[in-house]
């Protein structure tokens, strides 16, 4: 276990989480900010990328487990992401749609922010969010982040404006 809050805990993703990840990454509505659901191959690539991040950085997106049931309900964690020519520390989150609007993303994101400042000694952490993703923007705001600057990302042949929400060590 890497992090624990009142209702959830986070651990590293593992290959056995593939089916649970498919419930998130293969849901069209959940994946609208990524221009649609992932194929099985894309889910495998996503999972492998997280495991590589653990080896390279010691962190990545982690499995979010609901304490009450032991079920994987989402993923949240820290990654290094490109932003305007440099790498920035980002809090990312993606949850199963059936668990939306319960505060889990905010609870997990806040724990990751504390982890970034206390364990990684980061001066700042951000969330990079597509301009149309209001729900994720609201999580960033509840996590004490401020919209700072914008950039267009190109993904699946689409220009996607993104905003970087930033929290600095207090």
């Amino acid at each position: 276990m890497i992090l624990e809050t009142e209702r959830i805990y986070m651990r590293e993703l593992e290959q056995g989480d593939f089916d649970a990840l498919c419930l998130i990454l293969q849901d069209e509505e959940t994946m609208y900010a990524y221009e649609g659901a992932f194929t099985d191959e894309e889910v495998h690539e996503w999972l492998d990328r997280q495991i590589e991040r653990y080896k390279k950085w010691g962190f990545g997106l982690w499995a979010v487990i609901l304490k009450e049931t032991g079920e994987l309900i989402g993923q949240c964690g820290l990654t290094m992401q490109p932003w305007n020519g440099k790498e920035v520390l980002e809090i990312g989150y993606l949850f199963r749609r059936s668990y939306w609007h319960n505060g889990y993303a905010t609870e997990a994101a806040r724990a990751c922010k504390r982890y970034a400042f206390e364990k990684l000694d980061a001066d700042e952490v951000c969330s990079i969010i597509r301009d149309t993703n209001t729900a994720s923007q609201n999580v960033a705001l509840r996590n004490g982040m401020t919209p700072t600057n914008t950039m267009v990302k190109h993904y699946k042949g689409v220009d996607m404006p993104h905003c970087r929400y930033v929290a600095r060590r207090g």
Side-chain angles (χ1 to χ4, degrees), residues 41-90:
E41 182 180 337
E42 289 170 320
V43 175
H44 279 295
E45 289 170 2
W46 179 277
L47 185 53
D48 291 344
R49 190 165 48 251
Q50 302 321 312
I51 292 168
E52 281 304 310
R53 285 173 169 157
Y54 305 149
K55 292 175 188 168
K56 181 176 182 178
W57 301 106
F59 54 82
L61 292 179
W62 297 308
V64 177
I65 309 297
L66 187 60
K67 285 182 179 180
E68 187 178 323
T69 64
E71 188 175 11
L72 190 157
I73 63 167
Q75 48 193 326
C76 184
L78 296 156
T79 60
M80 298 303 296
Q81 294 291 329
W83 185 262
N84 285 332
K86 64 179 188 171
E87 292 231 308
V88 296
L89 183 63
E90 185 201 25

Side-chain angles (χ1 to χ4, degrees), residues 119 136 153:
K119 302 279 191 217
S136 286
K153 290 187 168 203

Side-chain angles (χ1 to χ4, degrees), residues 9-11 13 26 41 52 77 94-95 128 142 146 159:
Y9 70 88
M10 288 176 257
R11 62 161 172 79
L13 286 161
Q26 293 185 335
E41 182 180 337
E52 281 304 310
L94 200 53
F95 282 76
I128 299 168
R142 284 192 295 272
T146 305
D159 288 344

Side-chain angles (χ1 to χ4, degrees), residues 94-142:
L94 200 53
F95 282 76
R96 259 181 47 202
R97 189 161 32 103
S98 57
Y99 290 94
W100 288 2
H101 310 296
N102 289 292
Y104 295 120
T106 300
E107 189 172 328
R110 285 177 175 158
C112 288
K113 183 174 82 169
R114 281 192 308 276
Y115 186 95
F117 293 148
E118 295 171 8
K119 302 279 191 217
L120 302 180
D121 202 30
D123 291 324
E124 76 173 32
V125 66
C126 69
S127 287
I128 299 168
I129 304 169
R130 192 169 176 183
D131 66 341
T132 56
N133 191 344
T134 307
S136 286
Q137 292 167 8
N138 288 334
V139 170
L141 293 170
R142 284 192 295 272

